[in-house]
Amino acid sequence: MNIQIVRPGELGDSERARWRELQKADPSLDNPFLSVEFAVAMDRLRDYVRVAVISDGDGIAGFFPYERHSFGIGKPLGGFLTTCHGLIAAPDLRLDAKALLRACKLSVFDFDHLVAGQPTFAPYEQDVRPAPVMDFTSGFAAWIDQVKANSPKNLKTVRYKERKLGREQGELRLAWASADPEVLRTLLAWKSDQYRRTGRVDRFAQPWIVELTEMMHAEKSSDFGGVLTMLYAGDVPVAGHFGLRTATTLVGWFPAYDTEFARYSPGIVHHLQMAEAAANDGLHMVDMGKGGKEYKDWLKSGVLYVAEGRISRPSATAAVHWIGRTPFNKARTIVMDRPSLYRAADRVLKGFGRVRTSVQQQESPNVVKEASGAS
């Protein structure tokens, strides 16, 4: 095997075509975060993005996109922003993982959403987790029947709130694949508010993530694109979602809603309507990602599997990295795997968010007063 390291933007048309060919040939790779378009977009915004082009005597055998940070620390492409990563290659391609790291000039590579079972990385998988999906391959009606079987009470409650929202706030309408940048800005503002309100780090406080989202929103091809949906009550937007898709799979990314309508559970109402629109548009699946909210359990009609693990080459950097990251990763896994602990952690973060918001509101009058005095 010959391994050449380049930036994704340096890939030629034939290499990008080969990437797409390999991705389409393996159903486990049907995820937009594994698409060459996502790698090229990340490369435009981040200097540390690289791809290993793996060749044998017959030509290109695979691609390994990754991030190379200081001291040879390797991270999956997109890191905390993405829900899937791995090697884009034939299912039976087996490489020496440590030799791959050496070629990539990496001391260590941590992964937590790797396509499970890839021969190159399987020996280093420490845990495998289910990622719930909405599967429409048998049709939307069959999926709704499964949701009803999962939790008839939840479905009945959401349908009641859906009717109530339409009756009290205006007729409901879902905009599928909206191209309006103002609609995207509305959604991202809601999401930023949600991050702050729930004690999370606001991802959209980083300009490059906003730019990445805007770039993805503008992508429209048969194999890859951004899909923006918005649920309206009358003319008022109440809940939306922005995700990425391949020809057949939509991946959940940024869902959010206007808290003014929280009593109607607009986020779940939106998900039901988005699912129907996705099925009608010919998509086979919505990948909701591993862990997180309990609603995924009753909306799911199948699962995919992603792996967590770590590969390292002997070095001081790898040892220090292990000390800093491994205990945290194990603690996170324990919390995500236990609903009671997840709910408790979620309550703590929301409490922190409320305190932070309260402090900011108390400080705001003083800031205005000082600004007036300065003028």
Side-chain angles (χ1 to χ4, degrees):
M1 289 288 177
N2 176 56
I3 301 176
Q4 181 184 12
I5 309 303
V6 299
R7 297 188 64 151
E10 297 170 349
L11 296 173
D13 290 343
S14 62
E15 293 164 317
R16 297 184 190 198
R18 177 58 174 160
W19 184 314
R20 296 185 187 101
E21 179 185 12
L22 289 167
Q23 186 181 15
K24 289 179 180 180
D26 184 354
S28 74
L29 302 179
D30 186 21
N31 187 295
F33 289 124
L34 299 177
S35 297
V36 64
E37 291 86 354
F38 183 74
V40 171
M42 283 291 300
D43 183 32
R44 288 174 59 184
L45 298 172
R46 303 280 89 184
D47 289 337
Y48 45 65
V49 174
R50 299 289 184 274
V51 59
V53 182
I54 304 152
S55 302
D56 58 18
D58 297 324
I60 295 178
F63 299 88
F64 176 58
Y66 65 97
E67 296 179 3
R68 186 181 187 277
H69 294 264
S70 300
F71 307 108
I73 300 298
K75 296 182 181 180
L77 182 65
F80 63 92
L81 284 175
T82 64
T83 60
C84 188
H85 41 261
L87 188 65
I88 295 84
D92 59 350
L93 180 66
R94 182 186 296 273
L95 302 173
D96 181 327
K98 293 190 178 182
L100 177 61
L101 260 63
R102 188 180 308 113
C104 296
K105 298 182 179 179
L106 299 179
S107 299
V108 62
F109 181 72
D110 258 341
F111 55 88
D112 59 2
H113 288 81
L114 189 100
V115 177
Q118 292 195 328
T120 298
F121 301 110
Y124 302 93
E125 293 177 355
Q126 297 169 357
D127 202 2
V128 175
R129 299 279 162 175
V133 301
M134 307 179 197
D135 187 342
F136 311 128
T137 52
S138 297
F140 176 75
W143 174 74
I144 278 289
D145 287 343
Q146 182 62 58
V147 172
K148 187 174 182 179
N150 291 344
S151 181
K153 182 179 179 180
N154 278 328
L155 182 60
K156 183 179 180 180
T157 299
V158 172
R159 288 305 195 195
Y160 166 76
K161 290 185 176 183
E162 181 180 46
R163 293 190 297 271
K164 184 178 175 66
L165 174 59
R167 187 171 61 250
E168 296 181 354
Q169 301 297 332
E171 183 178 358
L172 299 187
R173 167 178 65 89
L174 183 83
W176 169 260
S178 170
D180 190 341
E182 280 298 324
V183 175
L184 180 64
R185 281 191 278 272
T186 296
L187 178 70
L188 299 192
W190 290 342
K191 196 66 181 178
S192 285
D193 177 67
Q194 179 191 340
Y195 285 139
R196 294 190 296 267
R197 183 167 28 89
T198 57
R200 273 74 169 181
V201 174
D202 180 7
R203 296 176 179 180
F204 299 112
Q206 300 186 54
W208 77 267
I209 296 180
V210 175
E211 187 174 356
L212 174 66
T213 306
E214 292 172 345
M215 289 169 58
M216 296 295 90
H217 183 224
E219 285 276 357
K220 305 293 178 188
S221 74
S222 59
D223 293 328
F224 180 88
V227 179
L228 174 61
T229 54
M230 183 62 75
L231 178 67
Y232 293 85
D235 294 326
V236 179
V238 296
H241 172 265
F242 180 70
L244 301 182
R245 63 155 185 83
T246 62
T248 56
T249 296
L250 173 66
V251 172
W253 206 7
F254 298 122
Y257 62 88
D258 187 340
T259 55
E260 181 180 343
F261 301 95
R263 63 188 181 279
Y264 300 106
S265 300
I268 302 297
V269 172
H270 165 271
H271 262 57
L272 289 178
Q273 296 210 9
M274 180 182 72
E276 184 171 11
N280 290 340
D281 199 46
L283 293 174
H284 298 171
M285 183 183 299
V286 174
D287 181 345
M288 295 183 283
K290 72 168 184 175
K293 303 298 184 180
E294 292 179 6
Y295 73 83
K296 295 180 182 180
D297 285 335
W298 63 272
L299 290 183
K300 74 179 181 182
S301 56
V303 295
L304 301 174
Y305 290 93
V306 292
E308 303 173 5
R310 182 177 186 272
I311 311 167
S312 64
R313 296 165 52 219
S315 69
T317 296
V320 171
H321 183 267
W322 184 92
I323 293 171
R325 292 296 300 170
T326 299
F328 169 78
N329 289 340
K330 288 184 176 179
R332 181 186 60 186
T333 296
I334 291 171
V335 170
M336 296 294 285
D337 197 38
R338 290 166 174 77
S340 59
L341 290 179
Y342 180 86
R343 289 193 295 269
D346 192 48
R347 285 195 298 270
V348 170
L349 286 171
K350 286 179 179 177
F352 172 74
R354 287 192 295 270
V355 170
R356 183 170 60 184
T357 299
S358 176
V359 169
Q360 290 172 342
Q361 290 173 344
Q362 291 174 11
E363 290 177 346
S364 294
N366 294 330
V367 171
V368 172
K369 185 175 181 180
E370 290 169 7
S372 298
S375 62

